[in-house]
Amino acid sequence: MGGHGLASGIHRAATDPVLPGDVTARARDLGSFESPLIWLALASAAVAVLAAVFALWHRRRVRRWGFTAFGVLLLLAAVTALNSYVGYVRTSDDLARLLQRGPGVVNLAGRLLDDDKEAPSSPHPGAGTAAAGQRIDVVNLPDPAHGVPSGSNYVVLPPGYDATAARRYPVVYLIHGYPFGGPRDWLTSGDAPGTLLALQQAGVIAPMIVVSVDLTAGNPATDWECLDVPGGPQLETYLARTVVPAIDQRYRTIADRGHRALGGMSGGGFGALNIGLHHVDEFGTLLIALPYDDLNDSVGVLDGNRAAIAANTPRRYLPTMPFPAPISVMLAVGTGAPTDVTTAHRIADALHARGQEAVVHAERGFNHTWHTARATLPYLLAFADQNFRASPTTS
């Protein structure tokens, strides 16, 4: 049941990284569409319209159009306030991507707003994609045999990848949340490309490849939780047996567990934990943002299959799980989400009891939102880098 670091080269003394202030401040900054000034301005406009309606109450047309405008402005204020809290739409590109999921005129508006880039530029000065030599590919990997009709996996390649043909790179796989999440989320809401560049330019991490995996099974509205669903999509198998080998084949990866990390946020964090524990032969490092270890309300996707529920509930199986190879885990939470904090420490304690390395990183005041995932991503990637550097290449 082991956990012997020397056997696999995983760094057994992994710690919460200490990062430069400009890198962490950048990750915590709000994007242009997240500013609370937007919803405050809309709410103020709604109040002003309502005041005008009452002032001109005797005019029927003013009342009719005024109440309509008030309702629209109030709705927009509520939506933008929610976005300011969650941090899902940071930029105009994020908004375009969101609108393109809608029907008809909404989809058209999204396409008109889109800048035709697969990955958005960061809203922060000095961080971009092509200008910094970073390349982002889309690897389409449908797998009908496992119930996955489509899969657009985004591959973020570091600056210099095309110029140094002999160099190989470690890989971090990131999973989006559920429901209505998708593989572009880590590029937009999560700002993975910009965070990678900031960390590399600061000399914090060595170049690495990041893959944002599509585990929607073509139906983002369903809360699949990255599972092998009885009678449905086999998403765990798709990731471990289709996506990873395809990335290793198409790109210059260091194709061993010591240089391969799996991470995600919320539902994707659950998936990364569950899949990572099922495949310790494949992933040496797990990066879990906004963690949970029980299916809870999502258990219905397994349609009452008791064996499947037990096999996919880390809270149940982790305390007695054997570890044929050791893993190193970082769990990232916001202190504004006490349930996440409790869960993270419970998972870490269970891992420690099994002889495994686990570190909890907490962001003060943050909640169970994309703000937390984005703010903690630099720490997660730096943690992975610690383990990559300490792991000897075996393939």
Coordinates of all heavy atoms in Angstrom, one line a residue, residues 285-350:
T285 N 0.6 13.6 -10.2 CA 0.2 14.8 -9.5 C -1.2 15.1 -9.8 O -1.7 15.0 -10.9 CB 1.1 16.0 -9.9 OG1 2.5 15.7 -9.7 CG2 0.7 17.3 -9.2
L286 N -2.0 15.5 -8.7 CA -3.4 15.9 -8.9 C -3.5 17.4 -8.4 O -3.0 17.7 -7.3 CB -4.3 15.0 -8.1 CG -4.2 13.5 -8.4 CD1 -5.3 12.7 -7.6 CD2 -4.4 13.3 -9.9
L287 N -4.3 18.2 -9.2 CA -4.4 19.6 -8.9 C -5.9 19.9 -8.8 O -6.6 20.0 -9.8 CB -3.8 20.4 -10.0 CG -2.4 20.0 -10.4 CD1 -2.0 20.7 -11.7 CD2 -1.4 20.3 -9.3
I288 N -6.5 20.0 -7.6 CA -7.9 20.0 -7.4 C -8.3 21.4 -6.8 O -8.0 21.8 -5.7 CB -8.4 18.9 -6.4 CG1 -7.6 17.6 -6.7 CG2 -9.9 18.8 -6.4 CD1 -7.9 17.0 -8.0
A289 N -9.1 22.1 -7.6 CA -9.6 23.4 -7.2 C -11.1 23.3 -6.9 O -11.8 22.6 -7.6 CB -9.4 24.5 -8.3
L290 N -11.5 23.8 -5.8 CA -12.9 23.8 -5.3 C -13.4 22.3 -5.2 O -14.3 21.8 -5.8 CB -13.9 24.5 -6.3 CG -13.4 25.8 -6.9 CD1 -14.4 26.4 -7.8 CD2 -12.9 26.8 -5.9
P291 N -12.7 21.6 -4.3 CA -12.9 20.1 -4.3 C -14.2 19.6 -3.6 O -14.8 20.3 -2.8 CB -11.7 19.6 -3.5 CG -11.5 20.8 -2.5 CD -11.8 22.0 -3.3
Y292 N -14.6 18.5 -4.1 CA -15.6 17.7 -3.3 C -15.3 16.2 -3.6 O -14.7 15.9 -4.6 CB -17.0 18.0 -3.5 CG -17.5 18.0 -5.0 CD1 -18.1 16.9 -5.5 CD2 -17.5 19.2 -5.7 CE1 -18.6 16.9 -6.8 CE2 -18.0 19.2 -7.0 CZ -18.6 18.1 -7.6 OH -19.1 18.1 -8.8
D293 N -15.7 15.3 -2.6 CA -15.3 13.9 -2.7 C -16.5 13.0 -2.7 O -16.4 11.8 -2.4 CB -14.4 13.6 -1.6 CG -14.9 13.9 -0.2 OD1 -16.0 14.5 -0.1 OD2 -14.2 13.7 0.8
D294 N -17.7 13.6 -2.9 CA -19.0 12.8 -2.9 C -19.8 13.3 -4.0 O -19.9 14.5 -4.3 CB -19.7 13.0 -1.6 CG -20.7 11.9 -1.3 OD1 -21.7 11.8 -2.2 OD2 -20.7 11.2 -0.3
L295 N -20.6 12.4 -4.7 CA -21.4 12.8 -5.9 C -22.6 13.7 -5.5 O -23.1 14.5 -6.3 CB -21.9 11.6 -6.6 CG -20.8 10.9 -7.4 CD1 -21.3 9.5 -7.9 CD2 -20.4 11.7 -8.7
N296 N -23.1 13.5 -4.2 CA -24.2 14.3 -3.7 C -25.4 14.3 -4.7 O -25.8 13.3 -5.2 CB -23.7 15.7 -3.4 CG -22.7 15.7 -2.3 OD1 -22.8 15.1 -1.3 ND2 -21.6 16.5 -2.5
D297 N -25.8 15.5 -5.1 CA -27.0 15.6 -6.0 C -26.7 15.1 -7.4 O -27.7 14.8 -8.2 CB -27.4 17.1 -6.2 CG -27.9 17.7 -4.8 OD1 -28.3 16.9 -4.0 OD2 -28.0 18.9 -4.7
S298 N -25.5 14.9 -7.8 CA -25.2 14.4 -9.1 C -25.2 12.8 -9.2 O -25.0 12.3 -10.2 CB -23.8 14.8 -9.5 OG -23.7 16.2 -9.5
V299 N -25.5 12.2 -8.1 CA -25.5 10.7 -8.0 C -26.5 10.1 -9.0 O -26.4 9.0 -9.5 CB -25.8 10.2 -6.6 CG1 -27.2 10.4 -6.2 CG2 -25.4 8.8 -6.5
G300 N -27.6 10.9 -9.4 CA -28.6 10.4 -10.3 C -28.0 10.0 -11.7 O -28.7 9.2 -12.4
V301 N -26.9 10.6 -12.1 CA -26.3 10.2 -13.4 C -25.9 8.8 -13.4 O -25.9 8.2 -14.5 CB -25.1 11.2 -13.7 CG1 -23.9 10.8 -12.9 CG2 -24.9 11.2 -15.2
L302 N -25.7 8.2 -12.3 CA -25.4 6.7 -12.2 C -26.6 5.8 -12.1 O -26.5 4.6 -12.0 CB -24.4 6.5 -11.1 CG -23.0 7.1 -11.3 CD1 -22.1 6.9 -10.0 CD2 -22.3 6.6 -12.5
D303 N -27.8 6.5 -12.1 CA -29.1 5.7 -12.2 C -29.2 4.6 -11.1 O -29.7 3.5 -11.4 CB -29.2 5.1 -13.6 CG -30.7 4.8 -13.9 OD1 -31.6 5.4 -13.3 OD2 -30.9 3.9 -14.7
G304 N -28.7 4.9 -9.9 CA -28.9 4.0 -8.8 C -28.0 2.8 -8.8 O -28.2 1.8 -8.0
N305 N -27.0 2.7 -9.7 CA -26.1 1.6 -9.8 C -25.1 1.7 -8.5 O -24.2 2.5 -8.5 CB -25.3 1.7 -11.1 CG -24.4 0.5 -11.3 OD1 -23.7 0.0 -10.4 ND2 -24.4 0.0 -12.5
R306 N -25.4 0.8 -7.6 CA -24.7 0.9 -6.3 C -23.2 0.6 -6.4 O -22.4 1.3 -5.8 CB -25.3 -0.1 -5.3 CG -26.7 0.3 -4.9 CD -27.2 -0.7 -3.8 NE -28.5 -0.3 -3.3 CZ -29.2 -0.9 -2.3 NH1 -28.6 -1.9 -1.6 NH2 -30.4 -0.5 -1.9
A307 N -22.8 -0.3 -7.3 CA -21.4 -0.6 -7.5 C -20.7 0.6 -8.1 O -19.6 1.0 -7.7 CB -21.3 -1.8 -8.4
A308 N -21.4 1.2 -9.1 CA -20.8 2.4 -9.7 C -20.7 3.6 -8.7 O -19.7 4.3 -8.7 CB -21.6 2.8 -10.9
I309 N -21.7 3.7 -7.9 CA -21.6 4.8 -6.9 C -20.5 4.6 -5.9 O -19.7 5.5 -5.6 CB -23.0 4.9 -6.2 CG1 -24.1 5.4 -7.1 CG2 -22.9 5.9 -5.0 CD1 -25.5 5.2 -6.6
A310 N -20.4 3.4 -5.4 CA -19.3 3.1 -4.5 C -17.9 3.3 -5.1 O -17.0 3.8 -4.5 CB -19.4 1.7 -3.9
A311 N -17.8 2.9 -6.3 CA -16.5 3.0 -7.0 C -16.1 4.4 -7.4 O -14.9 4.6 -7.7 CB -16.5 2.1 -8.3
N312 N -17.1 5.3 -7.4 CA -16.8 6.7 -7.8 C -17.1 7.7 -6.7 O -17.4 8.8 -7.0 CB -17.7 7.0 -9.0 CG -17.2 6.2 -10.3 OD1 -16.2 6.6 -10.9 ND2 -17.9 5.2 -10.6
T313 N -17.0 7.2 -5.4 CA -17.1 8.1 -4.3 C -15.8 8.1 -3.5 O -15.7 7.2 -2.6 CB -18.3 7.7 -3.4 OG1 -19.5 7.6 -4.2 CG2 -18.5 8.7 -2.3
P314 N -14.9 9.0 -3.8 CA -13.6 9.0 -3.1 C -13.7 9.0 -1.6 O -12.9 8.4 -0.9 CB -12.9 10.2 -3.6 CG -13.5 10.4 -5.0 CD -14.9 10.0 -4.8
R315 N -14.7 9.7 -1.1 CA -14.9 9.8 0.4 C -15.1 8.4 1.0 O -14.7 8.1 2.1 CB -16.1 10.6 0.7 CG -16.3 10.9 2.2 CD -17.4 11.9 2.4 NE -17.5 12.3 3.8 CZ -18.3 13.2 4.3 NH1 -19.1 13.9 3.5 NH2 -18.4 13.5 5.6
R316 N -15.6 7.4 0.2 CA -15.8 6.1 0.7 C -14.6 5.2 0.5 O -14.1 4.5 1.4 CB -17.0 5.4 0.0 CG -18.4 6.0 0.2 CD -19.4 5.0 -0.3 NE -20.7 5.6 -0.5 CZ -21.8 5.0 -1.0 NH1 -21.7 3.7 -1.3 NH2 -22.9 5.6 -1.1
Y317 N -14.0 5.3 -0.7 CA -12.9 4.3 -1.0 C -11.5 4.8 -0.6 O -10.6 4.0 -0.5 CB -13.0 3.8 -2.4 CG -12.7 4.9 -3.5 CD1 -11.4 5.3 -3.7 CD2 -13.7 5.3 -4.4 CE1 -11.1 6.2 -4.7 CE2 -13.4 6.2 -5.4 CZ -12.1 6.7 -5.6 OH -11.8 7.6 -6.6
L318 N -11.3 6.1 -0.5 CA -10.0 6.6 -0.3 C -9.4 6.1 1.1 O -8.2 5.7 1.1 CB -10.0 8.1 -0.3 CG -8.6 8.8 -0.1 CD1 -7.5 8.3 -1.0 CD2 -8.8 10.3 -0.2
P319 N -10.2 6.0 2.2 CA -9.5 5.6 3.4 C -8.9 4.2 3.4 O -8.1 3.9 4.3 CB -10.7 5.7 4.4 CG -11.6 6.7 3.8 CD -11.5 6.5 2.3
T320 N -9.3 3.3 2.5 CA -8.8 2.0 2.5 C -8.1 1.7 1.1 O -7.8 0.5 0.8 CB -9.9 0.9 2.7 OG1 -10.9 1.1 1.7 CG2 -10.5 1.1 4.1
M321 N -7.9 2.7 0.3 CA -7.4 2.5 -1.0 C -5.9 2.1 -1.0 O -5.1 2.8 -0.3 CB -7.6 3.8 -1.8 CG -6.9 3.7 -3.2 SD -7.2 5.3 -4.1 CE -6.0 5.1 -5.4
P322 N -5.5 1.1 -1.7 CA -4.0 0.8 -1.9 C -3.4 1.7 -2.9 O -4.1 2.1 -3.9 CB -4.0 -0.7 -2.4 CG -5.3 -0.8 -3.1 CD -6.3 0.1 -2.4
F323 N -2.2 2.1 -2.8 CA -1.5 2.9 -3.7 C -0.3 2.2 -4.3 O 0.8 2.1 -3.6 CB -1.0 4.2 -3.0 CG -2.1 5.2 -2.8 CD1 -3.0 5.2 -1.7 CD2 -2.4 6.2 -3.8 CE1 -4.0 6.1 -1.6 CE2 -3.4 7.1 -3.6 CZ -4.2 7.1 -2.5
P324 N -0.4 1.6 -5.5 CA 0.7 1.0 -6.1 C 1.9 1.9 -6.4 O 3.0 1.5 -6.6 CB 0.1 0.3 -7.3 CG -1.1 1.1 -7.6 CD -1.6 1.6 -6.3
A325 N 1.6 3.2 -6.5 CA 2.6 4.2 -6.8 C 2.1 5.5 -6.0 O 0.9 5.7 -5.9 CB 2.7 4.5 -8.3
P326 N 3.0 6.3 -5.5 CA 2.6 7.5 -4.8 C 2.1 8.6 -5.6 O 2.5 8.8 -6.8 CB 3.9 7.9 -4.0 CG 4.9 7.4 -4.9 CD 4.4 6.2 -5.6
I327 N 1.2 9.4 -5.0 CA 0.8 10.6 -5.7 C 1.0 11.9 -4.8 O 1.2 11.7 -3.6 CB -0.7 10.6 -6.1 CG1 -1.6 10.3 -4.8 CG2 -1.0 9.5 -7.1 CD1 -3.1 10.5 -5.1
S328 N 1.0 13.0 -5.5 CA 1.2 14.3 -4.8 C 0.0 15.2 -5.2 O -0.2 15.4 -6.4 CB 2.5 14.9 -5.1 OG 2.8 16.0 -4.3
V329 N -0.7 15.7 -4.2 CA -2.0 16.4 -4.4 C -2.0 17.8 -3.8 O -1.6 17.9 -2.7 CB -3.2 15.6 -3.9 CG1 -4.5 16.2 -4.2 CG2 -3.1 14.1 -4.4
M330 N -2.5 18.8 -4.6 CA -2.8 20.1 -4.1 C -4.3 20.3 -4.2 O -4.9 20.1 -5.2 CB -2.0 21.2 -4.8 CG -2.5 22.6 -4.3 SD -1.5 24.0 -4.9 CE -0.3 24.1 -3.5
L331 N -4.9 20.8 -3.1 CA -6.3 21.1 -3.0 C -6.4 22.6 -2.8 O -5.9 23.1 -1.8 CB -7.0 20.3 -1.9 CG -6.8 18.8 -2.1 CD1 -6.3 18.2 -0.8 CD2 -8.2 18.2 -2.5
A332 N -7.1 23.3 -3.7 CA -7.1 24.8 -3.6 C -8.6 25.2 -3.3 O -9.5 24.8 -4.0 CB -6.6 25.4 -4.9
V333 N -8.7 26.1 -2.3 CA -10.1 26.5 -1.9 C -10.0 28.0 -1.6 O -9.0 28.7 -1.5 CB -10.5 25.8 -0.6 CG1 -10.6 24.3 -0.9 CG2 -9.5 26.0 0.5
G334 N -11.2 28.6 -1.5 CA -11.4 29.9 -1.0 C -12.0 29.9 0.4 O -12.9 29.1 0.7
T335 N -11.5 30.7 1.3 CA -12.0 30.7 2.7 C -13.4 31.1 2.8 O -14.0 30.9 3.8 CB -11.1 31.6 3.6 OG1 -11.1 32.9 3.1 CG2 -9.6 31.1 3.6
G336 N -14.0 31.8 1.8 CA -15.4 32.1 1.8 C -16.3 31.0 1.5 O -17.5 31.2 1.6
A337 N -15.8 29.8 1.2 CA -16.6 28.6 1.0 C -16.1 27.6 2.1 O -15.3 26.7 1.8 CB -16.3 28.1 -0.4
P338 N -16.7 27.7 3.3 CA -16.2 26.8 4.4 C -16.4 25.3 4.1 O -15.6 24.5 4.6 CB -17.1 27.2 5.6 CG -18.2 28.0 5.0 CD -17.7 28.6 3.7
T339 N -17.4 24.9 3.3 CA -17.6 23.5 3.0 C -16.4 23.0 2.2 O -15.9 21.9 2.4 CB -18.9 23.3 2.2 OG1 -20.0 23.7 3.0 CG2 -19.1 21.8 1.8
D340 N -15.9 23.9 1.2 CA -14.8 23.5 0.4 C -13.5 23.3 1.3 O -12.7 22.4 1.1 CB -14.5 24.6 -0.6 CG -15.5 24.6 -1.8 OD1 -16.4 23.7 -1.7 OD2 -15.3 25.4 -2.7
V341 N -13.4 24.2 2.3 CA -12.2 24.1 3.2 C -12.3 22.8 4.0 O -11.3 22.1 4.1 CB -12.2 25.4 4.1 CG1 -11.0 25.2 5.1 CG2 -12.0 26.7 3.3
T342 N -13.4 22.5 4.5 CA -13.6 21.3 5.3 C -13.3 20.1 4.4 O -12.6 19.1 4.8 CB -15.0 21.2 5.9 OG1 -15.2 22.3 6.8 CG2 -15.2 19.9 6.7
T343 N -13.8 20.1 3.2 CA -13.7 19.0 2.3 C -12.2 18.8 2.0 O -11.7 17.7 1.9 CB -14.5 19.1 1.0 OG1 -15.9 19.3 1.4 CG2 -14.3 18.0 0.1
A344 N -11.5 19.9 1.6 CA -10.1 19.8 1.3 C -9.3 19.2 2.4 O -8.4 18.3 2.1 CB -9.6 21.2 0.9
H345 N -9.5 19.6 3.6 CA -8.7 19.1 4.7 C -9.1 17.6 5.0 O -8.2 16.8 5.3 CB -8.9 19.9 6.0 CG -8.2 21.2 5.9 ND1 -6.8 21.3 6.1 CD2 -8.6 22.5 5.7 CE1 -6.4 22.5 6.0 NE2 -7.5 23.3 5.8
R346 N -10.3 17.2 4.7 CA -10.7 15.8 4.9 C -10.0 15.0 3.9 O -9.5 13.9 4.2 CB -12.2 15.7 4.8 CG -12.7 14.2 4.9 CD -14.2 14.1 4.9 NE -14.8 14.5 3.6 CZ -15.7 15.5 3.5 NH1 -16.1 16.2 4.6 NH2 -16.2 15.8 2.3
I347 N -10.0 15.4 2.6 CA -9.3 14.7 1.6 C -7.8 14.6 1.9 O -7.2 13.5 1.8 CB -9.5 15.3 0.2 CG1 -11.0 15.2 -0.2 CG2 -8.7 14.6 -0.9 CD1 -11.3 16.1 -1.4
A348 N -7.2 15.7 2.3 CA -5.8 15.7 2.6 C -5.5 14.8 3.7 O -4.5 14.1 3.7 CB -5.3 17.2 2.9
D349 N -6.3 14.8 4.8 CA -6.1 13.9 5.9 C -6.1 12.4 5.5 O -5.3 11.6 5.9 CB -7.1 14.2 7.0 CG -6.8 15.5 7.7 OD1 -5.7 16.1 7.6 OD2 -7.8 16.0 8.4
A350 N -7.1 12.1 4.6 CA -7.2 10.7 4.1 C -6.0 10.3 3.3 O -5.5 9.2 3.4 CB -8.5 10.6 3.3

